[in-house]
Amino acid sequence: MSFASDTKQELCEIEDKPCCALAELAALVHGAGTLRIGRGGPSVVMTTEAPRVARRIFSLCKESFGFTPELRTQMRKRLGRRNTYQVVLPPERAGEVLVRTGLLFKSGEGLRIRRSVPLSLLRKRCCKHAYLRGAFLAAGTISDPGKGYHLEIVASTEEYAQSLAGLIQKLEIPAKVVPRRESFVVYLKESEFIVEFLNRMGAHQALMALENVRITKNVRNNVNRAANCDNANVDKTMDAARRQIEAIEQIEREMGFARLPRHLREMAEIRLENPETPMKELGECFDPPISKSAVNHRLRKLVEIAREMQTKKGE
């Protein structure tokens, strides 16, 4: 199973309070439902490819409204296509469900379809979380954290997408909306916000799995950065040592060490004898030992002398 499937399986095992059950069902109806108008009145068909989600809708209908909806299975006709599962609310109960879940509301023109999140159902914080859970179960997915961080919920209209993103933003999670073909996608890409979204929905096992991957990635990245930094420092040190030796050899060749002050002559000789030794260890070669700063100062002075010699030669 995929990470998204595991996450939905975990969410389907959460036991809702009555208020939360209605909020979650409202999101499921809005995200997975299709309103069909027939002779007997409106019916609602909620479609999903996940059997656990279909059973979740089935159970929430029984829990919130006390009736048993019809459950259908559409078998795939071609290899590679998944079975789909439909939960059908009959005309005699569909209207009640649509009104109580806030998808139909009364206006001066009669009943109208709500195309945004029914905030009247979400006065409690727990109900907001349950609504997010339903929205994700209906039309959401999350990528495998080993491959990247991405969570999204597909909405059929821009109005509903913006409304859902607004609800998520009120929970201090910066969701964004982007159009995709004939739909709109509410999405999160930063791992810390995806972790918070999973926490709000109640997907704590998925949260821990994502955190473990994130920690492993961070450790690996830190190790790689440290290794790269060490390699860069080694390259820098070796390059500096090469320039120092070239300068010292130039001084020896063109003027000799005898004309150097004693402390610089000693430094030049020790550096030539120890071409790859770090400066701290070079300082320990003196009697008495000198500091790394003193070694660095003397080597810089030797390089400056060689540079001045080169300049005078050019004149």
Side-chain angles (χ1 to χ4, degrees):
M1 290 174 59
S2 67
F3 186 74
S5 297
D6 290 341
T7 302
K8 289 188 176 184
Q9 178 177 338
E10 180 184 359
L11 293 176
C12 287
E13 295 171 358
I14 293 175
E15 294 185 8
D16 276 332
K17 294 185 290 187
C19 60
C20 295
L22 190 61
E24 183 179 333
L25 182 59
L28 283 159
V29 174
H30 206 145
T34 301
L35 180 63
R36 296 179 180 176
I37 306 298
R39 294 179 180 178
S43 64
V44 175
V45 179
M46 287 169 279
T47 304
T48 177
E49 293 182 346
R52 294 180 184 276
V53 175
R55 288 196 293 270
R56 180 76 169 180
I57 299 171
F58 186 90
S59 299
L60 289 172
C61 287
K62 290 183 64 176
E63 180 180 344
S64 299
F65 295 94
F67 73 91
T68 302
E70 181 184 355
L71 186 60
R72 301 174 183 169
T73 302
Q74 289 189 339
M75 304 300 292
R76 60 186 180 185
K77 296 180 181 180
R78 289 185 296 176
L79 189 64
R81 296 187 64 183
R82 297 181 179 179
N83 296 340
T84 57
Y85 305 88
Q86 295 182 334
V87 181
V88 182
L89 308 184
E92 62 270 18
R93 303 305 299 265
E96 177 191 1
V97 173
L98 291 173
V99 170
R100 285 189 55 194
T101 56
L103 271 75
L104 286 181
F105 66 98
K106 293 181 181 180
S107 69
E109 302 173 358
L111 288 176
R112 297 186 61 188
I113 298 175
R114 186 186 307 278
R115 302 187 185 280
S116 59
V117 173
L119 296 178
S120 60
L121 295 178
L122 312 181
R123 293 190 175 93
K124 296 180 180 179
R125 195 173 185 83
C126 60
C127 294
K128 292 182 176 68
H129 297 169
Y131 192 90
L132 296 183
R133 183 162 58 246
F136 182 79
L137 288 174
T141 188
I142 182 172
S143 62
D144 186 325
K147 299 177 181 178
Y149 303 117
H150 184 84
L151 182 148
E152 67 176 44
I153 299 173
V154 179
S156 58
T157 66
E158 183 176 10
E159 184 178 356
Y160 181 66
Q162 295 291 354
S163 178
L164 181 59
L167 172 63
I168 298 171
Q169 291 162 6
K170 287 179 181 177
L171 297 172
E172 300 182 353
I173 303 173
K176 298 179 181 179
V177 177
V178 64
R180 181 188 293 167
R181 301 186 186 91
E182 298 179 356
S183 60
F184 294 84
V185 176
V186 181
Y187 72 94
L188 302 169
K189 292 196 74 72
E190 293 80 5
S191 59
E192 61 269 30
F193 299 132
I194 294 175
V195 165
E196 183 60 24
F197 190 88
L198 293 173
N199 182 48
R200 298 301 179 102
M201 290 195 298
H204 299 122
Q205 292 178 17
L207 183 158
M208 292 303 298
L210 190 150
E211 282 285 51
N212 287 338
V213 172
R214 188 167 68 153
I215 290 170
T216 301
K217 283 185 176 181
N218 286 340
V219 170
R220 186 184 300 118
N221 290 339
N222 289 337
V223 169
N224 289 338
R225 278 194 293 270
N228 291 337
C229 183
D230 288 344
N231 291 335
N233 288 337
V234 169
D235 291 342
K236 184 178 179 181
T237 300
M238 295 299 294
D239 188 55
R242 178 185 55 77
R243 291 197 305 271
Q244 294 159 7
I245 291 170
E246 288 177 352
I248 292 169
E249 289 176 341
Q250 180 183 349
I251 294 171
E252 182 181 30
R253 184 172 59 251
E254 297 182 11
M255 64 175 281
F257 289 163
R259 297 175 59 184
L260 291 173
R262 181 174 177 275
H263 68 289
L264 292 183
R265 181 171 67 251
E266 189 177 8
M267 182 74 259
E269 291 171 347
I270 289 176
R271 172 44 104 188
L272 286 179
E273 293 172 359
N274 303 274
E276 297 182 359
T277 302
M279 283 189 285
K280 183 178 179 181
E281 296 179 17
L282 282 177
E284 296 172 356
C285 295
F286 286 82
D287 186 19
I290 63 174
S291 67
K292 176 182 176 181
S293 176
V295 171
N296 185 45
H297 175 75
R298 295 182 186 186
L299 288 171
R300 279 209 315 268
K301 186 61 178 177
L302 289 168
V303 171
E304 288 174 7
I305 292 172
R307 188 179 298 119
E308 290 173 0
M309 292 172 57
Q310 190 67 31
T311 301
K312 289 180 180 179
K313 187 190 299 184
E315 294 175 356

